[in-house]
Amino acid sequence: MPSTRTAGRAVGALAALAFVGVAAAQYSDPRTSLDLTTRIGVQFAVGFVINLLLGGALVALSPGYADRKLDQFSSDPGETIVWGLIVGIGVPIVLVILAFTIIGLVITIPGVLILAGVGIVGSAVMVVVVGDAVTEGGAAGTTVLVGALVLALLTAIPFVGGLINWLVGLPGIGMVGHDLYRGWKN
């Protein structure tokens, strides 16, 4: 007999799928050759493959780092969210301001490249974190698969999927950015 936790997760997943279906039935963009349902399906598939590759690469190449990030997120999620806001919002604002000067432009270009790398690794971290939260600490492969699936479902929600993906990714960006800051400071 399934636990109430498992049943709750199943109901939540079905509700998310129902929301996507309702939104798809209500909207179609006449400017595109693909209807909304097809675009949602493509967005889901692409998001799933990208998240699966990122999370899988993180777990395969650096399982110790993935475990440390899981522990860090579970021990202090508030700190990771604050660091996510600093790195995900504050750093881009500073880089844009610096870009207006010649000397600042020299800092901005590598800064944007580093920030892109932080975003990629942070996304991989959050695939593992989300998968771990849903599977309650299952095997690494299962964790990555479930995390990629959940994030792809969230990203495929019309109109708000990108915002949800960005919000979910902020703590991962914060954890990786905080690691870089500590390494630079030492």
Side-chain angles (χ1 to χ4, degrees), residues 23-32 34-37 39 159:
Q26 293 178 355
Y27 177 77
S28 68
D29 189 355
R31 296 172 292 176
T32 181
L34 298 176
D35 65 343
L36 184 62
T37 307
R39 283 186 283 147
F159 310 114

Side-chain angles (χ1 to χ4, degrees), residues 178-186:
H178 191 206
D179 285 347
L180 279 177
Y181 175 73
R182 280 187 293 211
W184 173 74
K185 191 175 171 184
N186 294 331

Side-chain angles (χ1 to χ4, degrees), residues 48-153:
F48 177 71
V49 169
I50 289 172
N51 287 328
L52 190 63
L53 290 174
L54 288 176
L58 176 67
V59 169
L61 297 175
S62 186
Y65 185 77
D67 288 340
R68 285 193 306 275
K69 295 299 109 188
L70 280 170
D71 292 340
Q72 181 180 356
F73 185 80
S74 63
S75 67
D76 196 0
E79 180 184 13
T80 62
I81 292 169
V82 169
W83 272 98
L85 293 172
I86 291 169
V87 176
I89 296 174
V91 170
I93 289 172
V94 169
L95 289 175
V96 167
I97 292 170
L98 283 174
F100 289 113
T101 66
I102 298 296
I103 295 172
L105 197 56
V106 173
I107 296 169
T108 299
I109 293 170
V112 167
L113 295 174
I114 291 169
L115 192 58
V118 167
I120 290 169
V121 176
S123 294
V125 167
M126 288 314 293
V127 168
V128 175
V129 168
V130 168
D132 185 70
V134 173
T135 62
E136 297 175 349
T142 305
T143 299
V144 170
L145 184 67
V146 170
L149 181 65
V150 168
L151 289 176
L153 281 171

